[in-house]
């Protein structure tokens, strides 16, 4: 199990795990639960540049369509092809096998992101 307190979060319900200058991004279990059963995931191409707060992908569920936002400026260095092939991973393991993209970033950009306590407060205490 991922240590959820070690992650950063966005108000768009994404989590960010940083390893050096690479950020792994996924959606939170709260977002996955609100979406319902995920049936389609569209991710950006490796090598594409992304800008913070811009739409870089799409997540479709049986209930709705959600947009995936870039949490930080950077370049996509890897996408999770397993999630594209099996979108249900977003629901079954959002903090593990259900990760979405890896972005090369400037680690100083993390300052504007939420910690776990602030994210839980944002969702009204629902983890």
């Amino acid at each position: 199990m991922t240590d959820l307190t070690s992650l950063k979060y966005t108000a768009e319900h994404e989590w960010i795990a940083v390893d050096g200058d690479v950020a792994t991004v996924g959606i939170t279990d709260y977002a996955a639960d609100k979406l319902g059963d995920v049936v389609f995931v569209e991710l950006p191409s490796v090598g594409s540049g992304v800008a913070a707060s811009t739409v870089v992908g799409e997540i479709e569920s049986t209930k709705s369509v959600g947009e995936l936002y870039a949490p930080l400026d950077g370049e996509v260095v890897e996408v999770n092809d397993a999630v594209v092939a099996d979108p249900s991973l977003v629901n079954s393991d959002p903090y593990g096998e259900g990760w979405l993209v890896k972005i090369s970033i400037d680690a100083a950009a993390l300052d504007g992101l939420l910690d776990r306590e602030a994210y839980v407060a944002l969702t009204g205490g629902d983890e």
Side-chain angles (χ1 to χ4, degrees), residues 57-81:
E58 190 173 276
I59 301 172
E60 291 183 24
S61 72
T62 55
K63 290 183 185 178
S64 66
V65 175
E67 295 176 324
L68 175 65
Y69 292 88
L72 303 160
D73 294 340
E75 181 180 321
V76 177
V77 294
E78 188 177 347
V79 297
N80 188 351
D81 292 327

Side-chain angles (χ1 to χ4, degrees), residues 20-105:
D21 64 351
V22 175
T24 302
V25 179
I27 66 167
T28 65
D29 52 352
Y30 176 87
D33 183 56
K34 293 296 183 200
L35 278 170
D37 294 334
V38 176
V39 295
F40 176 77
V41 175
E42 179 182 83
L43 300 173
S45 302
V46 171
S48 60
V50 295
S53 301
T54 62
V55 175
V56 296
E58 190 173 276
I59 301 172
E60 291 183 24
S61 72
T62 55
K63 290 183 185 178
S64 66
V65 175
E67 295 176 324
L68 175 65
Y69 292 88
L72 303 160
D73 294 340
E75 181 180 321
V76 177
V77 294
E78 188 177 347
V79 297
N80 188 351
D81 292 327
V83 140
V84 174
D86 182 5
S88 70
L89 289 171
V90 171
N91 296 108
S92 64
D93 192 9
Y95 297 104
E97 296 299 314
W99 65 273
L100 301 172
V101 296
K102 293 187 180 188
I103 302 170
S104 174
I105 60 156

